[in-house]
Amino acid sequence: STPRRAGRRRVGGPARIAGAGEPQPGAAHGVGDPLGRDAEQWDEMFARVGEPTSDRSWAEPVGTFLEIVPEKDPTLLKAGDDFPVRVLKDGKAFAGFSLNAVSAGQTKGETRKTDSDGRVTFRLDAAERWMLRGTDIRKSTQPETDWESDFVTLSLEVKEK
C-alpha cells in the first residue's frame, strides 16, 4: 500500500476587500479582511493506508503555488527522527522562508529558515500529531489590495520509537 495525501487544496481566497470591513464573497474562511489583503492557504496531510511499500509519491511535488515537500516518508516517522523537507514557491526552491514545526502539545514550536535550496530539517521529538506551517506575505501588485499572502501547512503523525 502507499502513503496517501489528503486535504491538499486551496482554501478560501483570494480575499479581496473593496472597502475596509466589508466582507466579500469568497473571502478566506468566509471573513472579510479590513486590511486589504489577499490570502490563499495550501494544506497537506499525510496518512498511510496499509503496510509500507517502496512507493515514493509523497516525495513528488504536486504543483501548488506554495508547498512543503517531504524528503523522508512522513508516514514512517518515529519520535526523535529528523524530518527533512523542501519548500517550493511556484515550483522553485524557496530560500530564506521561515517554517515552523509545532506538535499538538505545544503552542509555539520551533522556527527555522530554509537554506539556498529551500531545504530545512526538524527533529520531531514527540510521538504525537505535528504541523509544519509558514506564511509568505508580500506587498501586492494588485489594485485595491495592499498585501498578498500564502499560507502553507503539512500535517502528520509521529509514532512511538
Side-chain angles (χ1 to χ4, degrees):
S1 101
T2 61
R4 301 288 183 201
R5 287 185 171 158
R8 185 169 224 174
R9 67 209 185 318
R10 180 176 161 182
V11 178
R16 293 188 188 271
I17 305 304
E22 297 174 15
Q24 299 294 310
H29 305 290
V31 176
D33 187 337
L35 301 178
R37 298 176 292 195
D38 265 357
E40 294 189 32
Q41 183 168 330
W42 309 92
D43 299 318
E44 185 167 17
M45 181 185 80
F46 287 89
R48 176 161 299 281
V49 178
E51 294 300 314
T53 66
S54 61
D55 179 277
R56 292 187 44 88
S57 61
W58 49 266
E60 300 294 326
V62 173
T64 56
F65 179 72
L66 185 61
E67 66 182 307
I68 301 169
V69 181
E71 294 198 320
K72 184 176 190 178
D73 188 338
T75 67
L76 298 178
L77 293 171
K78 306 278 189 216
D81 284 352
D82 286 341
F83 185 44
V85 298
R86 288 181 293 150
V87 178
L88 303 177
K89 180 178 179 180
D90 205 17
K92 298 175 182 70
F94 194 4
F97 181 66
S98 293
L99 196 62
N100 178 265
V102 62
S103 71
Q106 299 175 327
T107 56
K108 186 176 176 186
E110 177 182 7
T111 302
R112 295 186 176 182
K113 287 191 180 271
T114 57
D115 67 14
S116 60
D117 294 320
R119 290 183 162 87
V120 65
T121 300
F122 291 96
R123 173 146 306 147
L124 305 181
D125 58 3
E128 54 192 333
R129 290 184 309 273
W130 284 83
M131 178 171 49
L132 276 61
R133 59 191 179 181
T135 304
D136 175 36
I137 188 165
R138 61 209 170 274
K139 186 81 173 130
S140 179
T141 59
Q142 304 299 315
E144 299 183 22
T145 304
D146 298 321
W147 299 97
E148 295 175 345
S149 58
D150 289 276
F151 306 86
V152 63
T153 64
L154 183 150
S155 299
L156 58 112
E157 185 168 348
V158 173
K159 310 278 191 277
E160 293 284 341
K161 272 230 179 256

PDB file of all heavy atoms in Angstrom, residues 61-78:
ATOM      1  N   PRO A  61       6.441  16.749  -5.861  1.00  0.00           N
ATOM      2  CA  PRO A  61       5.686  17.999  -5.747  1.00  0.00           C
ATOM      3  C   PRO A  61       4.362  17.870  -6.502  1.00  0.00           C
ATOM      4  O   PRO A  61       4.289  17.232  -7.544  1.00  0.00           O
ATOM      5  CB  PRO A  61       6.583  19.034  -6.431  1.00  0.00           C
ATOM      6  CG  PRO A  61       7.945  18.425  -6.432  1.00  0.00           C
ATOM      7  CD  PRO A  61       7.729  16.935  -6.496  1.00  0.00           C
ATOM      8  N   VAL A  62       3.328  18.465  -5.946  1.00  0.00           N
ATOM      9  CA  VAL A  62       2.012  18.416  -6.575  1.00  0.00           C
ATOM     10  C   VAL A  62       1.841  19.582  -7.542  1.00  0.00           C
ATOM     11  O   VAL A  62       1.119  19.486  -8.518  1.00  0.00           O
ATOM     12  CB  VAL A  62       0.900  18.412  -5.503  1.00  0.00           C
ATOM     13  CG1 VAL A  62      -0.472  18.538  -6.117  1.00  0.00           C
ATOM     14  CG2 VAL A  62       0.991  17.143  -4.686  1.00  0.00           C
ATOM     15  N   GLY A  63       2.512  20.694  -7.271  1.00  0.00           N
ATOM     16  CA  GLY A  63       2.447  21.823  -8.177  1.00  0.00           C
ATOM     17  C   GLY A  63       1.627  22.992  -7.686  1.00  0.00           C
ATOM     18  O   GLY A  63       1.305  23.890  -8.458  1.00  0.00           O
ATOM     19  N   THR A  64       1.279  23.015  -6.391  1.00  0.00           N
ATOM     20  CA  THR A  64       0.584  24.181  -5.863  1.00  0.00           C
ATOM     21  C   THR A  64       1.579  25.340  -5.791  1.00  0.00           C
ATOM     22  O   THR A  64       2.789  25.140  -5.828  1.00  0.00           O
ATOM     23  CB  THR A  64      -0.015  23.906  -4.471  1.00  0.00           C
ATOM     24  OG1 THR A  64       1.032  23.473  -3.595  1.00  0.00           O
ATOM     25  CG2 THR A  64      -1.102  22.851  -4.544  1.00  0.00           C
ATOM     26  N   PHE A  65       1.078  26.552  -5.681  1.00  0.00           N
ATOM     27  CA  PHE A  65       1.929  27.740  -5.693  1.00  0.00           C
ATOM     28  C   PHE A  65       2.972  27.709  -4.579  1.00  0.00           C
ATOM     29  O   PHE A  65       4.130  28.050  -4.780  1.00  0.00           O
ATOM     30  CB  PHE A  65       1.084  29.003  -5.588  1.00  0.00           C
ATOM     31  CG  PHE A  65       1.912  30.254  -5.575  1.00  0.00           C
ATOM     32  CD1 PHE A  65       2.553  30.690  -6.719  1.00  0.00           C
ATOM     33  CD2 PHE A  65       2.066  30.991  -4.411  1.00  0.00           C
ATOM     34  CE1 PHE A  65       3.337  31.837  -6.717  1.00  0.00           C
ATOM     35  CE2 PHE A  65       2.843  32.135  -4.397  1.00  0.00           C
ATOM     36  CZ  PHE A  65       3.479  32.564  -5.551  1.00  0.00           C
ATOM     37  N   LEU A  66       2.563  27.306  -3.384  1.00  0.00           N
ATOM     38  CA  LEU A  66       3.461  27.206  -2.236  1.00  0.00           C
ATOM     39  C   LEU A  66       3.261  25.838  -1.624  1.00  0.00           C
ATOM     40  O   LEU A  66       2.130  25.458  -1.308  1.00  0.00           O
ATOM     41  CB  LEU A  66       3.136  28.306  -1.215  1.00  0.00           C
ATOM     42  CG  LEU A  66       4.046  28.444  -0.002  1.00  0.00           C
ATOM     43  CD1 LEU A  66       5.476  28.753  -0.426  1.00  0.00           C
ATOM     44  CD2 LEU A  66       3.538  29.554   0.913  1.00  0.00           C
ATOM     45  N   GLU A  67       4.349  25.055  -1.496  1.00  0.00           N
ATOM     46  CA  GLU A  67       4.178  23.707  -0.944  1.00  0.00           C
ATOM     47  C   GLU A  67       5.397  23.240  -0.171  1.00  0.00           C
ATOM     48  O   GLU A  67       6.513  23.681  -0.411  1.00  0.00           O
ATOM     49  CB  GLU A  67       3.810  22.696  -2.023  1.00  0.00           C
ATOM     50  CG  GLU A  67       4.845  22.419  -3.074  1.00  0.00           C
ATOM     51  CD  GLU A  67       4.338  21.430  -4.122  1.00  0.00           C
ATOM     52  OE1 GLU A  67       3.874  20.338  -3.752  1.00  0.00           O
ATOM     53  OE2 GLU A  67       4.409  21.766  -5.306  1.00  0.00           O
ATOM     54  N   ILE A  68       5.119  22.349   0.782  1.00  0.00           N
ATOM     55  CA  ILE A  68       6.149  21.686   1.575  1.00  0.00           C
ATOM     56  C   ILE A  68       6.232  20.256   1.047  1.00  0.00           C
ATOM     57  O   ILE A  68       5.241  19.530   1.061  1.00  0.00           O
ATOM     58  CB  ILE A  68       5.773  21.670   3.070  1.00  0.00           C
ATOM     59  CG1 ILE A  68       5.577  23.084   3.607  1.00  0.00           C
ATOM     60  CG2 ILE A  68       6.848  20.936   3.874  1.00  0.00           C
ATOM     61  CD1 ILE A  68       4.942  23.147   4.988  1.00  0.00           C
ATOM     62  N   VAL A  69       7.420  19.863   0.583  1.00  0.00           N
ATOM     63  CA  VAL A  69       7.602  18.536   0.001  1.00  0.00           C
ATOM     64  C   VAL A  69       8.521  17.727   0.918  1.00  0.00           C
ATOM     65  O   VAL A  69       9.682  18.098   1.113  1.00  0.00           O
ATOM     66  CB  VAL A  69       8.210  18.619  -1.408  1.00  0.00           C
ATOM     67  CG1 VAL A  69       8.383  17.233  -2.010  1.00  0.00           C
ATOM     68  CG2 VAL A  69       7.353  19.509  -2.311  1.00  0.00           C
ATOM     69  N   PRO A  70       8.022  16.630   1.493  1.00  0.00           N
ATOM     70  CA  PRO A  70       8.862  15.805   2.369  1.00  0.00           C
ATOM     71  C   PRO A  70      10.033  15.187   1.606  1.00  0.00           C
ATOM     72  O   PRO A  70       9.911  14.850   0.431  1.00  0.00           O
ATOM     73  CB  PRO A  70       7.919  14.696   2.839  1.00  0.00           C
ATOM     74  CG  PRO A  70       6.548  15.208   2.579  1.00  0.00           C
ATOM     75  CD  PRO A  70       6.660  16.117   1.394  1.00  0.00           C
ATOM     76  N   GLU A  71      11.166  15.033   2.289  1.00  0.00           N
ATOM     77  CA  GLU A  71      12.308  14.329   1.717  1.00  0.00           C
ATOM     78  C   GLU A  71      12.534  13.001   2.442  1.00  0.00           C
ATOM     79  O   GLU A  71      13.520  12.323   2.196  1.00  0.00           O
ATOM     80  CB  GLU A  71      13.543  15.220   1.762  1.00  0.00           C
ATOM     81  CG  GLU A  71      13.367  16.429   0.852  1.00  0.00           C
ATOM     82  CD  GLU A  71      14.660  17.109   0.506  1.00  0.00           C
ATOM     83  OE1 GLU A  71      15.536  17.230   1.393  1.00  0.00           O
ATOM     84  OE2 GLU A  71      14.783  17.557  -0.651  1.00  0.00           O
ATOM     85  N   LYS A  72      11.594  12.669   3.314  1.00  0.00           N
ATOM     86  CA  LYS A  72      11.585  11.404   4.050  1.00  0.00           C
ATOM     87  C   LYS A  72      10.116  11.038   4.204  1.00  0.00           C
ATOM     88  O   LYS A  72       9.285  11.921   4.423  1.00  0.00           O
ATOM     89  CB  LYS A  72      12.249  11.624   5.415  1.00  0.00           C
ATOM     90  CG  LYS A  72      12.412  10.400   6.265  1.00  0.00           C
ATOM     91  CD  LYS A  72      13.182  10.797   7.532  1.00  0.00           C
ATOM     92  CE  LYS A  72      13.594   9.610   8.337  1.00  0.00           C
ATOM     93  NZ  LYS A  72      14.375  10.011   9.518  1.00  0.00           N
ATOM     94  N   ASP A  73       9.788   9.752   4.102  1.00  0.00           N
ATOM     95  CA  ASP A  73       8.386   9.325   4.174  1.00  0.00           C
ATOM     96  C   ASP A  73       7.754   9.800   5.482  1.00  0.00           C
ATOM     97  O   ASP A  73       8.119   9.353   6.566  1.00  0.00           O
ATOM     98  CB  ASP A  73       8.303   7.807   4.068  1.00  0.00           C
ATOM     99  CG  ASP A  73       6.879   7.277   3.943  1.00  0.00           C
ATOM    100  OD1 ASP A  73       5.928   7.991   4.335  1.00  0.00           O
ATOM    101  OD2 ASP A  73       6.721   6.148   3.472  1.00  0.00           O
ATOM    102  N   PRO A  74       6.799  10.730   5.412  1.00  0.00           N
ATOM    103  CA  PRO A  74       6.205  11.282   6.630  1.00  0.00           C
ATOM    104  C   PRO A  74       5.314  10.302   7.378  1.00  0.00           C
ATOM    105  O   PRO A  74       4.985  10.543   8.538  1.00  0.00           O
ATOM    106  CB  PRO A  74       5.379  12.467   6.110  1.00  0.00           C
ATOM    107  CG  PRO A  74       5.078  12.126   4.701  1.00  0.00           C
ATOM    108  CD  PRO A  74       6.235  11.318   4.198  1.00  0.00           C
ATOM    109  N   THR A  75       4.955   9.191   6.774  1.00  0.00           N
ATOM    110  CA  THR A  75       4.095   8.221   7.446  1.00  0.00           C
ATOM    111  C   THR A  75       4.881   7.184   8.244  1.00  0.00           C
ATOM    112  O   THR A  75       4.289   6.363   8.925  1.00  0.00           O
ATOM    113  CB  THR A  75       3.188   7.493   6.433  1.00  0.00           C
ATOM    114  OG1 THR A  75       3.990   6.677   5.579  1.00  0.00           O
ATOM    115  CG2 THR A  75       2.380   8.482   5.609  1.00  0.00           C
ATOM    116  N   LEU A  76       6.215   7.233   8.157  1.00  0.00           N
ATOM    117  CA  LEU A  76       7.046   6.255   8.873  1.00  0.00           C
ATOM    118  C   LEU A  76       7.869   6.886   9.996  1.00  0.00           C
ATOM    119  O   LEU A  76       8.706   6.220  10.597  1.00  0.00           O
ATOM    120  CB  LEU A  76       7.990   5.553   7.887  1.00  0.00           C
ATOM    121  CG  LEU A  76       7.317   4.750   6.774  1.00  0.00           C
ATOM    122  CD1 LEU A  76       8.369   4.152   5.849  1.00  0.00           C
ATOM    123  CD2 LEU A  76       6.427   3.665   7.359  1.00  0.00           C
ATOM    124  N   LEU A  77       7.632   8.150  10.309  1.00  0.00           N
ATOM    125  CA  LEU A  77       8.441   8.843  11.314  1.00  0.00           C
ATOM    126  C   LEU A  77       8.163   8.337  12.725  1.00  0.00           C
ATOM    127  O   LEU A  77       7.030   8.077  13.102  1.00  0.00           O
ATOM    128  CB  LEU A  77       8.162  10.345  11.256  1.00  0.00           C
ATOM    129  CG  LEU A  77       8.634  11.045   9.989  1.00  0.00           C
ATOM    130  CD1 LEU A  77       8.115  12.469   9.953  1.00  0.00           C
ATOM    131  CD2 LEU A  77      10.147  11.016   9.889  1.00  0.00           C
ATOM    132  N   LYS A  78       9.244   8.218  13.494  1.00  0.00           N
ATOM    133  CA  LYS A  78       9.183   7.831  14.906  1.00  0.00           C
ATOM    134  C   LYS A  78       9.707   8.988  15.750  1.00  0.00           C
ATOM    135  O   LYS A  78      10.506   9.801  15.284  1.00  0.00           O
ATOM    136  CB  LYS A  78      10.060   6.596  15.173  1.00  0.00           C
ATOM    137  CG  LYS A  78       9.760   5.412  14.270  1.00  0.00           C
ATOM    138  CD  LYS A  78       8.594   4.651  14.781  1.00  0.00           C
ATOM    139  CE  LYS A  78       8.451   3.358  13.993  1.00  0.00           C
ATOM    140  NZ  LYS A  78       7.108   2.970  13.770  1.00  0.00           N
TER     141      LYS A  78
END
